[in-house]
Amino acid sequence: MLATLAIASLVRHRTRTVLAILGVAVSAAMLLDMVMLSSGMRESFRGLLLSQGFQLRLSPRGTLPFDTEATIRGADSLLAVIRARPAVVAASPVLGGQLHFPTSGAAVTASALGVEPAVQGDYELVAGRQPTAPNEIVANDATFRAIGHSLGDTVRAAAGYDPQLRTYSGERTLRLVGRVRFIYLALDQRAVALPITTLRAMNGPASTDRISLAMVKLRPGADVERERAALHALLPQVTVTSTAQALEQVDQRLSYFRQLAVILGSVSLVVGFLLVTTLVTVSVNERIGEIAVMRAIGVRRWRIVGQILLESSALMLIAAPLGLALGLVTARWLDSILSRFPGLPERIDFFLFQPRAAWTALGLLVVSGILAGVYPSWRSASLPIAVTLRQEAVG
Amino acid sequence: MTGKAIVEVRDLVREYRMGEERVPALRGVTFTVDQGEYAAIVGPSGCGKSTLLNLLGVIDRPTSGTVSIAGERVDQLDDARATEFRLRRIGFVFQRFYLLQALTARENVELPLAEAGMAGAERRARALELLDYVGLGRRERHRPSQLSGGEQQRVAIARALANRPALLLADEPTGELDARTGAEMIALFERLNRDGTTVVVVTHDEDLARAAKRVIHMRDGTIVDDVRVDPADRRVEPAGLAPEPHER
């Protein structure tokens, strides 16, 4: 019966209720977006780091992977030490560099990754096959477009280019055998991958027995932190970073994003709260006489409070799904804008939908809806009955 | 007075604060109402009759004095106990009916029954029984806006009777009704009283007052006259009141 009264109260002023629901829905959408933003980039980065199953990354001492152009010398012995560890399933060496492709106009430059194709974790094959032979190479769409070649074509590539003399060094003829998508690179960033031995040979003696990074995959159930510490002790010339540590670094770098998200999320929650409080207060003020009569005939105070809280909660519960839908649409739109930021990996999302985020937003909304009704409901249920009825009779 | 006292009021004072000033609405009222009585409280506007009714209905607290209803002191009950007392022992009928517009006639009658914890089927049966009693058995699904003023007041009476109260209080129950509907309402109150309900009405309506077995006249917050009406020989005899403090 109280539910009937609560619904009737909302239906009595349809326009006002609809406007309030829309207002709360916008606030809910903003809240969801901010909850998604506060954890989305981190979770997205985490997914990215773990997508190929590598839990440890070894980079030159004091650096983060690909943070500098520094390389690790003695790569072969280093890899032998790593691969000898019982917990290690695979170790994937990566040598970073650049390749230049002479075209009819200016040379096209692309980031180049020297890898061991059998264990690499830097790209996903979209078409074709892995570059298993020394003269084979794979490239992403941006590179294919820039150099104007197709899968199966043969191209000239050079490791060095002097723009003043317009001369190339370390030239090779390579065959494009695969179209790939690089996991850690931006969508529009030109990039290629080829066997590490080929890239070393093209670079010349400077990169002999060198790598920029090694990624390590451990057996299922292996203690990652323990293995990280063991490798760190065995290989003092490198910094061993676990995914958890990398995420800590990401957290530090993204802290302002989270702060912004928390502030904007709180603001939207407060706006929704005030909106519902205002609506419930207005609605309750219109029914002061009705409430006094209910009290006079013996309806308990907490029951009236419950009825009004039901109204505010119902508002929130109706608005929440609308807000969540709106939030997902706006998140996708905002994500598409922010993802165009130069240099960001293609797979990084600013707004990552997680059921937990949605439940968090929904929970916050419902709690704030209930709280929004507490003051007006308690106030109305506590008014002196006789005085209120007299005022109603006079009014 | 032949029956057991349902209402016992002693030295009742109610003052309202108007800024620094204290305005007395009741100045020491003492009277009793016996079980099965039908009493009308009459007097000019502002004489304190509605204030007295509110105190009898436990929706207000006196400044001093005592009120006992059905043997229980009710003048100092806390909110929860006062609410419980109103629910189970008092029936209220208001001038403006005050039905809940969102509910049907039957649901309005069911409200105090639901609050008292009566189960659904039993509650519906009791509500229909009461609506039948007030002559609205076929209007159970109508909402207040679909009922005439007289019909709404009948629903309000059915609601007031829902939990079989010890005392039915009515504040100007014919005040919003035309003469014909008012006469029907007077007849209904007479019938209620014949059927054993103790009734106290506050009214300006002379016809309603005449229908009562006892008429209490108030002026300036005091009872100035209290007469029993003998319908057999229409003889008016004193009600045997204890003298008011200011009259001593």
Side-chain angles (χ1 to χ4, degrees):
Chain A
M1 200 168 287
L2 290 179
T4 310
L5 286 170
I7 292 164
S9 163
L10 292 175
V11 172
R12 197 179 297 171
H13 299 285
R14 286 187 187 84
T15 309
R16 189 168 71 193
T17 302
V18 167
L19 287 174
I21 286 171
L22 289 177
V24 174
V26 170
S27 161
M30 180 88 165
L31 178 64
L32 176 68
D33 285 351
M34 291 306 114
V35 171
M36 285 166 73
L37 181 64
S38 69
S39 60
M41 205 161 173
R42 182 186 191 279
E43 286 305 308
S44 176
F45 201 82
R46 182 174 179 276
L48 190 67
L49 289 177
L50 291 172
S51 64
Q52 301 300 306
F54 293 96
Q55 297 101 327
L56 297 174
R57 285 162 174 79
L58 284 70
S59 53
R61 187 173 178 76
T63 71
L64 287 171
F66 283 121
D67 234 19
T68 68
E69 291 183 358
T71 53
I72 305 165
R73 68 174 70 174
D76 291 343
S77 59
L78 179 130
L79 287 168
V81 169
I82 297 170
R83 285 168 177 159
R85 302 281 306 164
V88 173
V89 173
S92 171
V94 184
L95 177 63
Q98 285 188 328
L99 285 189
H100 308 278
F101 298 90
T103 61
S104 53
V108 170
T109 302
S111 299
L113 297 180
V115 297
E116 287 183 6
V119 291
Q120 68 78 26
D122 286 276
Y123 59 81
E124 290 171 342
L125 206 57
V126 177
R129 59 178 175 77
Q130 294 283 2
T132 47
N135 64 337
E136 290 178 342
I137 189 170
V138 292
N140 64 359
D141 282 343
T143 310
F144 272 107
R145 278 197 301 274
I147 61 178
H149 282 281
S150 305
L151 201 60
D153 288 354
T154 299
V155 290
R156 290 291 291 171
Y161 174 60
D162 186 332
Q164 286 183 329
L165 299 174
R166 297 200 172 189
T167 56
Y168 294 94
S169 57
E171 276 192 276
R172 286 285 174 95
T173 298
L174 301 167
R175 185 176 164 77
L176 288 158
V177 297
R179 184 185 296 275
V180 300
R181 183 184 296 126
F182 286 93
I183 294 162
Y184 305 105
L185 301 180
L187 184 63
D188 56 352
Q189 184 177 349
R190 291 191 290 267
V192 296
L194 64 169
I196 191 168
T197 48
T198 307
L199 186 60
R200 279 178 181 158
M202 290 171 76
N203 280 340
S207 63
T208 303
D209 200 21
R210 282 180 179 270
I211 55 172
S212 305
L213 166 77
M215 299 194 293
V216 177
K217 193 182 286 186
L218 301 177
R219 291 186 192 288
D223 185 333
V224 176
E225 284 308 312
R226 192 169 160 191
E227 199 59 28
R228 186 196 68 76
L231 286 174
H232 182 73
L234 282 170
L235 306 165
Q237 73 273 35
V238 298
T239 292
V240 188
T241 310
S242 65
T243 302
Q245 285 179 313
L247 285 174
E248 272 176 35
Q249 299 284 340
V250 171
D251 273 346
Q252 283 174 12
R253 292 182 185 194
L254 295 178
S255 63
Y256 74 95
F257 256 111
R258 277 200 311 283
Q259 287 171 23
L260 183 74
V262 168
I263 290 167
L264 291 179
S266 304
V267 167
S268 58
L269 196 62
V270 169
V271 168
F273 173 83
L274 292 176
L275 202 60
V276 175
T277 306
T278 305
L279 181 82
V280 173
T281 303
V282 169
S283 166
V284 160
N285 284 345
E286 287 171 352
R287 291 181 288 147
I288 279 293
E290 191 176 276
I291 290 166
V293 170
M294 288 171 74
R295 296 279 293 127
I297 64 172
V299 177
R300 294 168 183 88
R301 184 182 286 176
W302 63 264
R303 192 95 70 177
I304 286 167
V305 170
Q307 180 206 323
I308 295 164
L309 293 187
L310 199 63
E311 284 176 42
S312 58
S313 306
L315 268 182
M316 285 297 198
L317 284 173
I318 296 167
L322 286 175
L324 295 185
L326 185 64
L328 289 176
V329 171
T330 50
R332 183 168 288 187
W333 176 59
L334 288 170
D335 204 46
S336 70
I337 293 172
L338 291 170
S339 296
R340 287 181 217 140
F341 197 79
L344 277 177
E346 179 192 351
R347 283 197 183 175
I348 285 288
D349 291 312
F350 284 82
F351 299 86
L352 187 68
F353 178 77
Q354 297 164 282
R356 196 176 148 202
W359 284 117
T360 303
L362 191 67
L364 285 170
L365 273 172
V366 172
V367 169
S368 71
I370 291 169
L371 292 177
V374 167
Y375 170 70
S377 59
W378 187 255
R379 186 178 149 270
S380 64
S382 304
L383 286 174
I385 301 168
V387 174
T388 309
L389 286 174
R390 190 167 61 240
Q391 286 170 348
E392 283 293 307
V394 171
Chain B
M1 292 188 288
T2 54
K4 174 185 155 195
I6 282 288
V7 177
E8 291 180 273
V9 173
R10 294 266 172 264
D11 303 328
L12 203 59
V13 174
R14 180 67 170 102
E15 293 173 343
Y16 294 106
R17 280 184 174 276
M18 306 278 277
E20 291 295 304
E21 206 179 340
R22 287 178 164 219
V23 179
L26 292 179
R27 299 167 187 261
V29 171
T30 298
F31 72 103
T32 60
V33 176
D34 287 349
Q35 188 166 15
E37 263 199 311
Y38 178 2
I41 301 172
V42 298
S45 295
C47 70
K49 52 189 189 300
S50 288
T51 301
L52 179 59
L53 199 76
N54 291 340
L55 292 169
L56 296 182
V58 203
I59 59 173
D60 195 10
R61 277 186 174 193
T63 307
S64 66
T66 64
V67 180
S68 297
I69 310 281
E72 187 175 343
R73 276 281 298 271
V74 296
D75 47 89
Q76 296 300 322
L77 292 181
D78 62 26
D79 181 76
R81 289 181 61 199
T83 304
E84 191 68 22
F85 190 86
R86 288 195 299 271
L87 177 67
R88 298 188 186 277
R89 308 298 279 161
I90 304 284
F92 246 118
V93 177
F94 305 93
Q95 180 177 352
R96 290 190 171 183
F97 330 131
Y98 287 136
L99 298 178
L100 301 187
Q101 299 297 316
L103 304 181
T104 63
R106 196 196 74 214
E107 287 168 339
N108 266 287
V109 180
E110 278 189 59
L111 186 62
L113 295 168
E115 191 66 17
M118 190 180 282
E122 190 186 353
R123 196 169 73 210
R124 271 189 290 281
R126 169 80 178 143
L128 286 174
E129 178 194 335
L130 286 164
L131 286 173
D132 270 339
Y133 181 78
V134 298
L136 288 176
R138 293 184 177 180
R139 311 281 269 169
E140 56 149 326
R141 291 176 193 277
H142 288 67
R143 293 188 191 281
S145 59
Q146 299 167 310
L147 298 172
S148 68
E151 288 172 328
Q152 288 189 57
Q153 195 60 299
R154 284 166 189 269
V155 175
I157 290 169
R159 179 179 68 183
L161 296 173
N163 286 320
R164 297 186 172 86
L167 178 64
L168 180 69
L169 302 172
D171 191 357
E172 301 282 7
T174 57
E176 299 265 319
L177 305 177
D178 59 42
R180 195 177 126 261
T181 316
E184 288 172 9
M185 205 54 56
I186 291 167
L188 179 57
F189 274 102
E190 282 185 298
R191 184 176 151 215
L192 281 172
N193 180 243
R194 270 201 312 276
D195 291 346
T197 308
T198 308
V199 181
V200 175
V201 294
V202 159
T203 186
H204 281 109
D205 185 339
E206 288 179 9
D207 291 335
L208 179 60
R210 256 198 302 273
K213 293 174 181 170
R214 178 180 172 192
V215 181
I216 299 169
H217 292 265
M218 291 188 69
R219 183 169 297 154
D220 295 333
T222 60
I223 294 176
V224 292
D225 199 9
D226 186 349
V227 292
R228 291 182 186 285
V229 181
D230 186 341
D233 55 11
R234 308 191 70 77
R235 181 163 50 90
V236 175
E237 58 185 27
L241 272 178
E244 293 295 313
H246 69 280
E247 291 172 340
R248 285 173 191 168

